[in-house]
Amino acid sequence: MRALLIVDMQRDFCPGGALAVAGGDAILPVINRMMPHFELVVASRDWHPEDTVHFERWPVHCVAGTPGAEYAPELDSAPIAQEFLKGTDGADDGYSAFEATNEDLEAWLRTRQVDDLFVCGLATDYCVRATVLDALARGFRVHVVINAVAAVHPDGPPDGGPHALQEMKDAGAHLLHSAMIRAPEP
Ligand code: VGL
Ligand code: ZN
């Protein structure tokens, strides 16, 4: 089984938001068009408490329950079967969707016999990167949709988008363009 995981497509990461990622909104139509090609679509949300060590490193963003933590309004959220809330612990960053606390992502995927995980969303160099590396370490085949991700630091170095993509590839992720994705044969 294949699943599409949409990472942190939230208002605060889109232009105008508290931690805007350049081009964050430009990937929305690509993501909306991909969803019908998957029988399983899930999403993570950055979901922080008001007090967290995370805000020593970043501007305040995606505080649980606030408008900035909502999905970007243009995202078609209807196909999302389950969401995973992460970064909920004030003691660490919680970048990876596998650190979600409302629901166990790995168990959820295994229950549904998912072995191919397609990842898109924000941001390439933080939450996408951490999620992809975690998924690989847990034995999933991982596909990163390169035209459906965007980086906080697109130019790096040391930890910008191109570097992060290379790192994911070196760890075993398959990088592909959304045009390569087809719905499975009936
Ligand atoms: C993220 C920085 C801070 C992300 C979350 O979703 O990649 N980046 N919090
Ligand atoms: Zn965050």
Side-chain angles (χ1 to χ4, degrees):
M1 196 72 145
R2 305 177 318 159
L4 177 67
L5 169 59
I6 303 165
V7 176
D8 300 6
M9 279 310 312
Q10 292 163 271
R11 284 179 187 266
D12 268 345
F13 295 122
C14 289
L19 181 43
V21 174
D25 52 344
I27 65 175
L28 279 160
V30 181
I31 295 174
N32 287 339
R33 280 198 299 271
M34 270 194 297
M35 287 194 250
H37 294 302
F38 290 88
E39 43 291 84
L40 284 175
V41 178
V42 296
S44 66
R45 280 205 273 172
D46 217 27
W47 197 254
H48 299 305
E50 274 172 43
D51 283 316
T52 165
V53 294
H54 189 60
F55 295 156
E56 292 165 18
R57 288 180 269 284
W58 298 101
V60 174
H61 63 278
C62 297
V63 172
T66 63
E70 289 168 9
Y71 289 120
E74 303 85 354
L75 181 72
D76 177 11
S77 58
I80 298 171
Q82 177 67 50
E83 70 172 359
F84 297 88
L85 305 175
K86 53 156 191 84
T88 59
D89 175 350
D92 68 8
D93 292 298
Y95 291 130
S96 169
F98 287 92
E99 294 178 61
T101 52
N102 66 312
E103 184 74 42
D104 184 326
L105 175 57
E106 180 174 4
W108 197 96
L109 295 171
R110 295 226 188 274
T111 301
R112 289 158 184 83
Q113 272 91 48
V114 172
D115 21 51
D116 283 277
L117 189 62
F118 289 71
V119 182
C120 62
L122 303 170
T124 314
D125 40 354
Y126 289 93
C127 291
V128 169
R129 173 188 176 278
T131 300
V132 165
L133 296 179
D134 262 1
L136 289 165
R138 287 165 158 82
F140 293 96
R141 272 197 301 269
V142 184
H143 312 264
V144 182
V145 188
I146 53 171
N147 59 318
V149 293
V152 175
H153 300 132
D155 302 321
D159 52 359
H163 177 84
L165 283 175
Q166 186 63 49
E167 211 182 341
M168 292 184 251
K169 189 171 187 231
D170 290 344
H174 175 215
L175 309 187
L176 83 171
H177 189 279
S178 62
M180 302 302 290
I181 297 170
R182 296 279 174 277
E185 298 298 318

